[in-house]
Amino acid sequence: MSDTPLIQPSVAEGDGTYTEGREGYGHIKSFVRRAGRMSAAQENYYAEMMPKIGLVYAPQPIDLAAVYGRNNPKILEIGTGMGETTAKIADANRDNDYLGVEVHVPGVGALCKQIAERQLSNLRICQHDAVEVVRDMLPEGSLDGVHVFFPDPWHKARHNKRRLIQPPFVALLASRLKPGGYFHCATDWEEYAHQMLEVLSAEPTLANSADGFAPRPEYRPLTKFENRGLRLGHGVWDVIFRKKVSKRPRRFA
């Protein structure tokens, strides 16, 4: 394994400058390509699995049914982290197909390991900027669900504009949902939770599934960090909305 980091530290961008290709989608780049090395296992699984289950970014719509070879429900997860939660959800719900989008290479390698060990045929990975993946590759009305679990809170006020959950991007994601499809966010940062609730409530095509914050559904497992936070008295907030079903006008004979 090379001693050269697979991910180089990111170059700081001007706080007010939109990243090329992201204009109009609500924020400048919301992630940082962290410096880090893969473990030997992560590197091996990455090399073995990505040619099999990796979805290569291309600026053209894809046929998700063809990608998975079936017409089962399709769920997008933005930011899979080290992949443990993503793999658990896919393992417990094998009748659903999942697309994880993640830029952090060691995290992708860790998820590849989970996919191989659990023999998950219903999980694919796209290692690319989620804004571009959603905008360019996912057709309107192609998703049954969207997961955004514990995104970077960018907790300093001057960095709030970098948060992923912003009105234009939420509108873009909502357009990719089928009628009745769900949009599920979770965070352990209370101020961000209220922003999520406010932004999703303002999207006219979405309706809250709860009166405010939602109870954690069984399909979202507790992470070890979440369990630790709960023991310390920290809160976790789930926000779950659904795509409205448009009412067709009644026809009279």
Side-chain angles (χ1 to χ4, degrees), residues 44-160:
N44 290 337
Y45 279 107
Y46 184 99
E48 175 191 350
M49 297 301 296
M50 282 302 281
K52 301 175 183 177
I53 54 86
L55 191 63
V56 178
Y57 168 78
Q60 59 188 28
I62 58 173
D63 182 347
L64 289 172
V67 169
Y68 294 87
R70 60 183 188 173
N71 289 311
N72 293 39
K74 303 294 186 282
I75 315 296
L76 171 69
E77 180 163 340
I78 297 176
T80 59
M82 297 306 288
E84 183 178 358
T85 295
T86 307
K88 284 182 178 179
I89 293 174
D91 197 357
N93 300 275
R94 290 182 179 247
D95 287 338
N96 294 339
D97 294 323
Y98 295 88
L99 172 59
V101 179
E102 177 59 58
V103 296
H104 188 45
V105 180
V108 174
L111 182 52
C112 284
K113 183 174 183 289
Q114 291 272 349
I115 291 172
E117 291 178 344
R118 295 174 183 265
Q119 299 182 340
L120 299 175
S121 61
N122 63 332
L123 178 54
R124 303 284 189 274
I125 306 171
C126 187
Q127 187 183 334
H128 196 77
D129 178 354
V131 172
E132 295 183 356
V133 172
V134 175
R135 181 193 65 196
D136 299 336
M137 298 182 69
L138 300 182
E140 292 188 8
S142 61
L143 298 175
D144 295 270
V146 173
H147 296 169
V148 184
F149 296 155
F150 303 100
D152 193 325
W154 292 101
H155 56 276
K156 292 183 179 179
R158 68 177 183 273
H159 292 155
N160 283 177

